[in-house]
Amino acid sequence: MGLKRLAQDLWFRTWWTYPSGGPPWIEIPYHVFNLFEGAVWTLLSALVLRRYLRHRRSAVELAYALAFFTFGLTDFREAYSLQSWLILAKGANLLALFWLRSFVIRRYYPESKLF
């Protein structure tokens, strides 16, 4: 039973839902912040896509824009519910974002420091 419980916690456990009935002074800001954060990641995705469409230096930029977009989607999901699988997906997405950013910036836009 211990291994089944571990697998349940590592993949399927729900850590938080909105509203969970807890103190609203924590839930409401957490919810609003995640919605705002999702919008910011989506905006960054659009900026990277726009840069790609303007310069077309590498198709890797499409993956970079998609990584920003999917990271934004995870924040929209987190605004309503946080499960273990979502935490793992966000971690994998974040690693992909860091790698794609370093690759694209270093190789195609060394003068850029923002995105």
Side-chain angles (χ1 to χ4, degrees), residues 64-76:
Y64 185 34
L66 182 62
F68 271 122
F69 183 72
T70 56
F71 201 71
L73 291 180
T74 64
D75 278 316
F76 291 132

Side-chain angles (χ1 to χ4, degrees), residues 84-97:
S84 296
W85 68 265
L86 184 61
I87 295 169
L88 296 171
K90 285 176 75 80
N93 203 146
L94 191 59
L95 289 174
L97 264 173

Side-chain angles (χ1 to χ4, degrees), residues 3-56:
L3 188 57
K4 184 178 180 181
R5 170 69 185 203
L6 178 64
Q8 180 73 17
D9 281 348
L10 287 177
W11 191 251
F12 297 109
R13 182 173 180 184
T14 298
W15 297 91
W16 182 84
T17 58
Y18 177 81
S20 67
W25 60 271
I26 289 186
E27 287 183 356
I28 293 170
Y30 182 79
H31 177 74
V32 170
F33 179 76
N34 275 295
L35 292 173
F36 172 76
E37 193 178 11
V40 169
W41 293 120
T42 304
L43 175 65
L44 288 171
S45 172
L47 291 172
V48 170
L49 183 60
R50 187 177 122 220
R51 182 178 64 192
Y52 167 74
L53 293 172
R54 185 181 309 154
H55 301 291
R56 297 197 189 262

Side-chain angles (χ1 to χ4, degrees), residues 59-111:
V60 175
E61 286 182 280
L62 292 174
Y64 185 34
L66 182 62
F68 271 122
F69 183 72
T70 56
F71 201 71
L73 291 180
T74 64
D75 278 316
F76 291 132
R77 173 70 175 138
E78 186 181 348
Y80 294 95
S81 184
L82 179 62
Q83 290 92 9
S84 296
W85 68 265
L86 184 61
I87 295 169
L88 296 171
K90 285 176 75 80
N93 203 146
L94 191 59
L95 289 174
L97 264 173
F98 283 141
W99 183 83
L100 287 163
R101 182 186 189 284
S102 71
F103 179 81
V104 168
I105 296 295
R106 185 176 57 246
R107 189 163 213 184
Y108 300 105
Y109 304 97
E111 70 284 354

